[in-house]
Amino acid sequence: GEVKFPGTYTVQRGDRLLDVLERAGGVSDQGYTFGSVFTRKKIAEQQKISFNQSADLLEQSIADAITTGSLAVSGDALRPISVLISRLRNLEPIGRLILDTDPLTLRTDPHKNILLEDGDNLYIPMRPSSVNVVGEVYAPSAHAFNSNVSIEHYVKKAGGFRNTADISNIYIILPNGESTQIGRRILSNRKPNLVPGSTIVVPRDPRPFDWLVMTKTIAPIFANLATSAAAIAAIDN
């Protein structure tokens, strides 16, 4: 990404993030450290285990409901859950670790200047100029950032809400990977908490799955998938 000398660097025992950043010549003038994507193999392995456990939980919940007689639905009704389970098993997470990569911060706060491990990757993008809208909208897309428009404005530009949208639980994924839930009151705010490179996520309403009593199970799974997708998209861009 946006360092002066991109490449692969040997990590010595005791090396920290700032050490390698300095070897790479530092962040370029176009670098946007707030949007940095830092990935680690160990975290990717943990995320993969978590996704598989979520898939197991969904399968077990369906099996339990059928066994106890509390579930009597057609195969068509189960298809969305089957697709979700398959996606969880097939997805290869990148293992993003949310951290601050600003060189000044790393110099002044030793706790943020983490020790490096073999296989770590750091990608620093160029400063973005758009906001992404994904999820339950008619035309998921990217739009030019404007600090004076509301989140609702971006959603309308993306075709508006689908009937399956969970408007009460919309959240924003910031460029650094952190997520913030917003309420209906903030939706039309002309000064929303958005920065360039943010992703507005309109989640799917989990109520159609109430017959599985899994609303609290499915919602965080959708959130994890959206966060992973945003990180992958940042690197691909």
Side-chain angles (χ1 to χ4, degrees):
E2 291 300 316
V3 293
K4 294 180 180 177
F5 309 113
T8 301
Y9 289 84
T10 301
V11 177
Q12 306 293 340
R13 184 178 181 85
D15 275 351
R16 296 183 178 271
L17 182 56
L18 184 59
D19 297 324
V20 174
L21 262 179
E22 290 177 341
R23 281 183 223 156
V27 181
S28 74
D29 294 338
Q30 300 297 318
Y32 186 58
T33 56
F34 188 61
S36 296
V37 178
F38 182 93
T39 63
R40 176 165 284 178
K41 290 180 179 179
K42 187 184 300 182
I43 295 175
E45 293 168 357
Q46 293 170 346
Q47 289 176 338
K48 183 63 177 176
I49 292 172
S50 176
F51 284 157
N52 284 331
Q53 289 175 337
S54 296
D56 292 341
L57 177 60
L58 291 176
E59 288 180 336
Q60 189 62 51
S61 297
I62 294 173
D64 290 345
I66 293 174
T67 302
T68 59
S70 61
L71 176 62
V73 294
S74 65
D76 288 341
L78 287 174
R79 188 167 291 114
I81 295 293
S82 298
V83 171
L84 177 58
I85 290 172
S86 177
R87 186 179 175 192
L88 285 167
R89 296 208 185 281
N90 293 327
L91 184 67
E92 294 298 331
I94 63 173
R96 184 175 190 177
L97 175 63
I98 298 175
L99 47 75
D100 194 332
T101 62
D102 179 67
L104 179 59
T105 301
L106 298 179
R107 289 190 185 93
T108 56
D109 189 344
H111 295 290
K112 294 184 177 180
N113 189 21
I114 64 169
L115 283 167
L116 295 178
E117 297 180 5
D118 183 39
D120 286 347
N121 281 279
L122 174 63
Y123 170 73
I124 300 178
M126 293 180 64
R127 179 171 293 276
S129 58
S130 61
V131 169
N132 299 302
V133 185
V134 301
E136 297 304 301
V137 292
Y138 283 99
S141 46
H143 304 272
F145 174 76
N146 185 336
S147 60
N148 295 314
V149 302
S150 65
I151 293 171
E152 189 175 29
H153 171 86
Y154 289 111
V155 172
K156 288 180 178 178
K157 287 285 188 180
F161 296 112
R162 288 181 174 273
N163 294 333
T164 51
D166 185 1
I167 301 175
S168 298
N169 288 301
I170 296 173
Y171 59 94
I172 299 167
I173 301 176
L174 297 174
N176 69 345
E178 294 179 354
S179 60
T180 304
Q181 189 172 355
I182 64 171
R184 286 176 178 266
R185 182 175 55 83
I186 303 175
L187 196 60
S188 58
N189 190 340
R190 288 285 177 179
K191 291 288 186 180
N193 184 27
L194 285 177
V195 295
S198 297
T199 298
I200 300 169
V201 181
V202 182
R204 189 180 184 90
D205 190 344
R207 284 179 297 178
F209 303 110
D210 277 352
W211 42 266
L212 278 178
V213 198
M214 292 195 304
T215 297
K216 292 183 179 179
T217 300
I218 291 178
I221 290 174
F222 282 144
N224 286 337
L225 290 174
T227 303
S228 296
I232 293 170
I235 295 176
D236 289 343
N237 289 337

